[in-house]
Amino acid sequence: MNAIVNISRLLKGKLAKTGLSSFKGGVHPPQHKLESTTSPIRSVAAPKHLVLPLRQHVGNVSKLQVAVGDHVLKGQLLAKADGQVSAAVHAPTSGVIASIGNQLIPHPSGLPDISITLEADGSDQWIEHQALDYLSMSKPELLDHLREAGVVGLGGATFPSHIKLREDARHPVRTLIINGAECEPYISCDDMLMRERTDEIVRGIEIMRYLLDAEVCAIGIEDNKPEAIQAMREAVAKSAIAIDVIPVPTIYPGGGAKQLIKVITGKEVPSGRLPTEIGVQCFNVATAYSVHRVVNHGEPVISRIVTVTGNVDRPGNYEAPLGISISELVQLAGGEAEDGDLVMGGPMMGFNLPAADVPVVKATNCIIVPSAEMFPEPEPALPCIRCTRCADACPVNLQPQELYWFSKSQNLEKAREYKIFDCIECGCCTYVCPSNIPLVQYYRYAKSEIIAQDRAKEAADIARERNEFRLMRIEREKQERAQKHAQKAAGAKAEAGVDSAAEAAKKAAIAAAVERAKAQKAEVVAKNTEEASPRVEAEIAKIEARRAHQPEPPVQPEQAQLFAEQQEAPAASGTGQADGLQPLSKEKQPTEEAK
Amino acid sequence: MNRSPYLTDAPSVTSIMLRVLLALVPGIAAYVWVFGGGILVTLALASVTALSVEALMLKLRERPIRMFITDGSALVTAWLLALALPPLAPWWLVVLGTAIAIVLAKQLYGGLGYNPFNPAMVAYAALLISFPLLMTSWPAPLALAETQLGFIEQMQFIFSGALPTGVALDAVTSATPLDYLKTQLMLNHSMEEIAQSTIFGALGGQGIELIAAGYLLGGLFLIQQRIITWHLPTAFLASIALIAAIFYLSDASRFADPAFHLFSGATMLCAFFIITDPVSGPTTPKGKLIFAAGIGFMTYIIRVYGGYPDGVAFAVIFFNICVPLIDACTQPRVFGHEK
């Protein structure tokens, strides 16, 4: 039976045709990339007013290095990386620090985060900077430079790149994959970058390869970008190192890191693990470009290419200084920016911006100004008819219809068992659902609920341990008191000259105290939950958590989502071609990496 | 606020259901050709009943009537039941059966998407147990009948049970090939003798094989339209063919050949339209193969050794019960996981 299933997969996979592997599922949404690729990348002058969140990356909030009133130069460090899993923030132009405080940031939670407001002085004056002679530096030194320059994955995941570029003796990187797939509709910033900054990207790849000492290096580009493929092919031919340009089939989410790795190498990144475990590391083309700017020009990451498209007069790609208001960018493109309307990212994984005047951050790859026709309101949802179109479309081979059922019925343990944390939230299931069920919403909700419950349980466990410790301490003190008492009594008797009797009495007293202690301890154990079933324990944990926190209102999906994202580092939601498209390891990764 | 994806590209439930109805048309056309226009009356009766009962139930359950009445699922159930019933079944049997399907087997479980059993098969089984005589008396194909009833006469028979004067009931009915085979084999006649009867055609029953071919055609259309996948029909037909071949090869004088089983009774209707009901079926690719092969096996056993005219309904209901188990045991390997 396995054979039959496999044969059908093979037939679908078109293995023979391309020599590439494939992943199951995927969809073919309309591209809409042409609109934004007809004109070259437009450079955007620094605006008067810039807002720079201190957390534009996955990991620790950067440490502030300036104070209100300071005058800073373009490229000057504003906040440095706090530890390994962090990235620095720099001034995109020269000017004065006007304020430091909470500002709305482009994040689906809609919550403010600590940000620096910079008023430009108009002179756009660079700080002194120079290219690095990287070949004469040690690799750790070079990596530190990347960290200090604020290099993060620009595919959308914004994971600090220096960590991924560190050599790891346990998992040497054999294959370096550069992700130029850009599978999400509408987005074309990587496409245009590959067309126009081709040589610079190759220079960046050379540095990355040098750092990782990879044997093989390949750039995966979806075959709907013939210009980029052609340009990259010409550029790699001139490179001193061997780089393969590999056109991959256009299929969403073929630009997901794990999907692209599968297509190019035929290997699957094990669930919950990093690609390095199979000897692969993957970076976005724009990340390679910023590595080049940092190393060969000494320029930190202070701008990025942003696709502005949709309902605008001049759709295209804009090289925008970080911190510029998105509404300003939209106006530059000839569009109207209305609050709650704009979408950051692509139509499959993007999100509605909380306001139009939030700043461009390192994760901002695309801004879509939608019209009612472009993204129509979803039809009312019907019940699931188990048609399994979602299962056929799922690139991770999940059973979305089951996950939906478990999420909806709050059967979270089952959802976990059916591997909900392997869901990459690509949206393919929702895209094909005849019943118009917002499936991904349910999964986001279930995931955040599970995470919240796990946290609550952890907190409850700690509280219980503390309580046990406290009871033990009280017991010990009692015991000690009893001992002292006995000693005193024994001393009094010894004075009377009945030594042996005193000894006996002392022993008896101690024995009695120990006995009492044992009895009390047994009571304590009985009162406790050590022997309770896991279910009861979970129940208790829940109750304790509820007591510990303020009373919780009934959780709505949106609220739960909000909660989860509040807890997580506000990295922008990954786009299809995110550097590290691994929602489940988001939390795990930093600690793992930090080792 | 994250409500992505903003794009969708999915056929509506209504359009899926309508295409299923469309796929039934070749089979229905063949049906009319073989048994006369009476089936159209039965279909109409079932349709009207299904829609009215569904609307009534939705109203009682305080669900949006318009949204659910237009999803088309009630019509699909109605048509499948109508096509499974004997042609010229009395009107009240059709109405009762359809009501059972919609009220008991569908709406009481929660309506669209919530029925654990195939509604048409539940209704069929209920009628078969309650009215065995009516449910097993089939009219002869027109080509074989002593007296051919016209459309009007068929309609009269459906509504009043009255035949034209001078026409006896025997003149319009005949045993179905499956029944005939069973009784003749019990009388110790050999397959060769039995096959001489005019009720057998080239592959299955005379005329019935044509209807089966119509369903096959419609089924291929559904696969082409990606409304059903190949898994269920292929596994089901292969399973019947395989088990029939084993018995046939072991004793050709006592068992019919595989082609007969494929083109008789409700085999083709079952393969492409009954077991492919997504709501009451399994969802994993492997699960679909097991489910369909199991129904095929059981259908054959009931057909050959059971007391019922065809085994499809009971086999389907039995395996509907097994669906949660089958699904749980056949979860596919998730990307990045060892099996």
Side-chain angles (χ1 to χ4, degrees):
Chain A
M1 198 165 293
N2 266 324
I4 302 174
V5 176
N6 286 340
I7 289 167
S8 83
R9 294 240 175 89
L10 266 177
L11 291 174
K12 275 186 210 153
K14 298 174 203 142
L15 259 181
K17 210 179 117 193
T18 56
L20 290 172
S21 184
S22 64
F23 58 92
K24 196 201 127 282
V27 295
H28 292 98
Q31 301 286 319
H32 288 292
K33 293 191 188 248
L34 205 62
E35 294 93 315
S36 55
T37 51
T38 45
S39 50
I41 297 172
R42 279 167 273 212
S43 171
V44 179
K48 286 249 24 107
H49 180 83
L50 299 97
V51 175
L52 299 148
L54 292 190
R55 183 153 46 183
Q56 302 189 27
H57 52 266
V58 171
N60 299 335
V61 184
S62 325
K63 274 201 272 188
L64 209 56
Q65 299 296 306
V66 290
V68 174
D70 285 0
H71 183 266
V72 294
L73 296 175
K74 182 176 185 176
Q76 185 174 335
L77 184 73
L78 300 182
K80 70 173 188 184
D82 180 15
Q84 275 301 309
V85 190
S86 185
V89 177
H90 299 80
T93 185
S94 58
V96 177
I97 308 296
S99 69
I100 297 169
N102 276 349
Q103 299 255 19
L104 268 188
I105 58 162
H107 190 260
S109 69
L111 291 169
D113 200 7
I114 180 140
S115 312
I116 299 170
T117 306
L118 177 65
E119 295 296 341
D121 60 14
S123 65
D124 207 30
Q125 191 193 345
W126 264 102
I127 194 167
E128 202 178 305
H129 60 291
Q130 60 193 22
L132 305 172
D133 181 10
Y134 71 91
L135 291 173
S136 65
M137 298 169 101
S138 74
K139 285 184 182 176
E141 235 180 308
L142 180 52
L143 289 170
D144 275 347
H145 267 287
L146 293 177
R147 183 167 67 115
E148 281 155 23
V151 180
V152 299
L154 293 184
T158 62
F159 190 78
S161 302
H162 64 274
I163 295 170
K164 288 171 70 182
L165 285 165
R166 198 164 48 190
E167 270 182 300
D168 181 349
R170 288 170 306 159
H171 305 297
V173 171
R174 214 184 91 74
T175 312
L176 171 62
I177 290 179
I178 302 300
N179 190 342
E182 197 162 53
C183 61
E184 270 237 36
Y186 288 93
I187 309 179
S188 63
C189 55
D190 291 345
D191 185 7
M192 292 311 288
L193 191 78
M194 286 189 286
R195 291 192 209 184
E196 296 187 18
R197 317 264 168 100
T198 323
D199 289 322
E200 290 93 325
I201 292 171
V202 174
R203 295 292 89 74
I205 297 173
E206 287 165 358
I207 299 164
M208 288 174 157
R209 206 202 78 119
Y210 160 75
L211 277 168
L212 290 169
D213 205 15
E215 294 161 41
V216 185
C217 185
I219 310 173
I221 307 172
E222 282 198 345
D223 55 15
N224 62 349
K225 296 183 248 310
E227 296 90 348
I229 292 170
Q230 183 59 32
M232 288 306 305
R233 278 197 167 137
E234 283 165 19
V236 298
K238 291 179 280 178
S239 173
I241 63 168
I243 304 172
D244 280 331
V245 176
I246 300 178
V248 296
T250 300
I251 180 168
Y252 177 84
K258 290 187 175 184
Q259 280 66 38
L260 186 66
I261 290 170
K262 174 74 175 30
V263 168
I264 291 181
T265 68
K267 287 189 260 186
E268 287 182 9
V269 178
S271 168
R273 304 298 178 80
L274 299 171
T276 46
E277 297 202 15
I278 55 164
V280 181
Q281 194 58 288
C282 186
F283 293 95
N284 181 265
V285 282
T287 314
Y289 175 75
S290 45
V291 168
H292 159 76
R293 296 304 303 180
V294 169
V295 175
N296 295 329
H297 294 269
E299 296 174 8
V301 181
I302 52 170
S303 68
R304 69 155 298 147
I305 316 287
V306 183
T307 306
V308 184
T309 184
N311 192 14
V312 294
D313 298 336
R314 291 176 293 282
N317 283 281
Y318 294 80
E319 184 163 26
L322 298 177
I324 186 175
S325 156
I326 283 172
S327 65
E328 243 180 289
L329 202 57
V330 168
Q331 277 157 20
L332 268 175
E336 271 173 55
E338 272 169 51
D339 279 358
D341 219 23
L342 303 177
V343 172
M344 180 168 128
M348 297 300 285
M349 290 185 77
F351 60 92
N352 275 105
L353 287 171
D357 61 355
V358 292
V360 166
V361 291
K362 288 173 185 172
T364 311
N365 51 2
C366 181
I367 299 296
I368 304 177
V369 185
S371 63
E373 301 85 60
M374 265 169 68
F375 299 161
E377 280 296 309
E379 300 271 313
L382 282 167
C384 168
I385 55 168
R386 293 162 52 92
C387 68
T388 65
R389 278 164 189 264
C390 50
D392 293 339
C394 180
V396 197
N397 211 15
L398 293 165
Q399 295 287 302
Q401 77 285 353
E402 304 279 14
L403 291 177
Y404 160 66
W405 188 252
F406 297 141
S407 305
K408 196 180 175 189
S409 57
Q410 293 267 352
N411 197 345
L412 299 178
E413 268 318 302
K414 267 297 207 197
R416 200 202 291 260
E417 195 184 304
Y418 276 64
K419 320 240 167 34
I420 195 167
F421 281 100
D422 280 284
C423 167
I424 59 172
E425 299 178 22
C426 64
C428 287
C429 49
T430 310
Y431 183 76
V432 298
C433 180
S435 293
N436 314 307
I437 301 169
L439 293 161
V440 189
Q441 306 286 75
Y442 279 95
Y443 309 149
R444 286 182 187 128
Y445 160 69
K447 282 183 187 176
S448 56
E449 265 299 86
I450 293 172
I451 291 170
Q453 280 191 2
D454 284 355
R455 284 214 177 109
K457 171 134 191 351
E458 217 171 286
D461 285 346
I462 291 170
R464 197 177 56 230
E465 271 168 32
R466 272 195 197 141
N467 188 39
E468 275 169 22
F469 183 74
R470 185 180 145 264
L471 291 173
M472 253 167 66
R473 198 192 64 222
I474 292 171
E475 189 47 45
R476 200 184 58 221
E477 284 168 2
K478 249 187 201 167
Q479 220 170 309
E480 281 166 2
R481 267 202 306 275
Q483 219 160 346
K484 263 186 206 161
H485 207 69
Q487 262 166 358
K488 238 184 190 172
K493 273 185 186 167
E495 267 171 36
V498 201
D499 275 19
S500 62
E503 205 64 34
K506 188 178 170 186
K507 267 184 192 158
I510 292 171
V514 169
E515 209 52 45
R516 264 203 314 278
K518 267 187 195 160
Q520 252 159 347
K521 196 172 184 190
E523 231 172 278
V524 169
V525 172
K527 246 190 279 170
N528 239 308
T529 51
E530 262 163 43
E531 274 158 77
S533 72
R535 240 183 80 180
V536 174
E537 241 176 297
E539 210 66 44
I540 291 169
K542 243 190 205 168
I543 293 162
E544 284 184 34
R546 226 173 290 142
R547 280 182 195 148
H549 296 285
Q550 55 274 67
E552 277 177 318
V555 190
Q556 298 298 312
E558 289 81 7
Q559 286 175 338
Q561 200 187 319
L562 221 67
F563 173 67
E565 271 145 2
Q566 211 177 325
Q567 309 284 311
E568 280 172 29
S573 107
T575 59
Q577 86 283 18
D579 268 346
L581 196 70
Q582 36 203 220
L584 61 162
S585 55
K586 218 178 219 173
E587 287 193 274
K588 220 160 96 195
Q589 191 156 17
T591 48
E592 255 184 26
E593 293 285 352
K595 277 178 201 165
Chain B
M1 159 66 179
N2 199 345
R3 67 165 183 93
S4 61
Y6 299 89
L7 298 176
T8 55
D9 181 25
S12 64
V13 172
T14 309
S15 105
I16 290 176
M17 296 297 172
L18 289 181
R19 275 181 281 173
V20 173
L21 295 180
L22 186 65
L24 281 168
V25 168
I28 294 171
Y31 206 122
V32 172
W33 172 261
V34 173
F35 287 108
I39 184 62
L40 300 177
V41 178
T42 308
L43 283 169
L45 264 176
S47 302
V48 171
T49 310
L51 291 177
S52 357
V53 173
E54 176 119 312
L56 181 69
M57 286 305 288
L58 288 167
K59 191 170 165 57
L60 289 176
R61 294 180 55 225
E62 295 174 359
R63 295 295 140 101
I65 295 177
R66 213 187 134 86
M67 185 162 105
F68 284 108
I69 209 80
T70 53
D71 66 30
S73 61
L75 282 181
V76 170
T77 300
W79 284 29
L80 291 178
L81 177 64
L83 293 171
L85 294 176
L88 309 188
W91 68 270
W92 57 268
L93 193 72
V94 179
V95 170
L96 180 65
T98 313
I100 290 173
I102 300 294
V103 177
L104 293 183
K106 184 179 175 189
Q107 289 292 337
L108 287 189
Y109 280 107
L112 178 72
Y114 290 95
N115 49 292
F117 304 105
N118 186 312
M121 290 300 102
V122 170
Y124 182 89
L127 292 181
L128 184 60
I129 293 168
S130 315
F131 310 99
L133 199 65
L134 280 172
M135 289 295 287
T136 49
S137 71
W138 276 61
L142 294 178
L144 300 175
E146 280 173 47
T147 314
Q148 292 187 3
L149 296 182
F151 179 66
I152 303 294
E153 290 161 332
Q154 285 194 338
M155 204 152 86
Q156 269 171 353
F157 184 74
I158 290 171
F159 283 104
S160 65
L163 286 166
T165 38
V167 177
L169 191 62
D170 284 350
V172 292
T173 61
S174 92
T176 69
L178 280 172
D179 270 341
Y180 182 77
L181 187 67
K182 206 183 275 177
T183 44
Q184 293 297 309
L185 284 172
M186 267 199 278
L187 298 171
N188 273 327
H189 293 148
S190 77
M191 270 310 294
E192 273 171 38
E193 292 169 75
I194 299 168
Q196 300 304 314
S197 163
T198 51
I199 66 169
F200 292 102
L203 294 168
Q206 174 79 39
I208 290 172
E209 59 194 15
L210 189 67
I211 300 172
Y215 293 144
L216 173 62
L217 193 70
L220 294 177
F221 167 74
L222 287 184
I223 293 179
Q224 184 265 328
Q225 293 282 302
R226 296 184 49 228
I227 287 174
I228 61 173
T229 59
W230 59 270
H231 302 78
L232 288 164
T234 311
F236 175 74
L237 296 176
S239 159
I240 287 201
L242 183 73
I243 185 169
I246 292 170
F247 278 85
Y248 176 69
L249 291 176
S250 71
D251 187 353
S253 68
R254 304 270 311 147
F255 296 101
D257 60 76
F260 173 80
H261 280 286
L262 292 182
F263 284 87
S264 295
T267 307
M268 287 296 169
L269 186 67
C270 182
F272 293 100
F273 296 93
I274 306 278
I275 64 170
T276 50
D277 168 35
V279 176
S280 56
T283 53
T284 65
K286 229 186 266 180
K288 285 179 182 173
L289 297 180
I290 293 170
F291 175 80
I295 294 176
F297 177 82
M298 203 160 163
T299 299
Y300 184 88
I301 298 298
I302 296 176
R303 250 184 207 179
V304 175
Y305 295 106
Y308 291 106
D310 197 351
V312 164
F314 294 108
V316 168
I317 292 172
F318 177 76
F319 276 92
N320 282 161
I321 301 173
C322 303
V323 160
L325 184 67
I326 294 174
D327 273 345
C329 294
T330 55
Q331 284 300 307
R333 186 185 71 84
V334 173
F335 186 98
H337 282 268
E338 303 283 331
K339 180 59 205 177

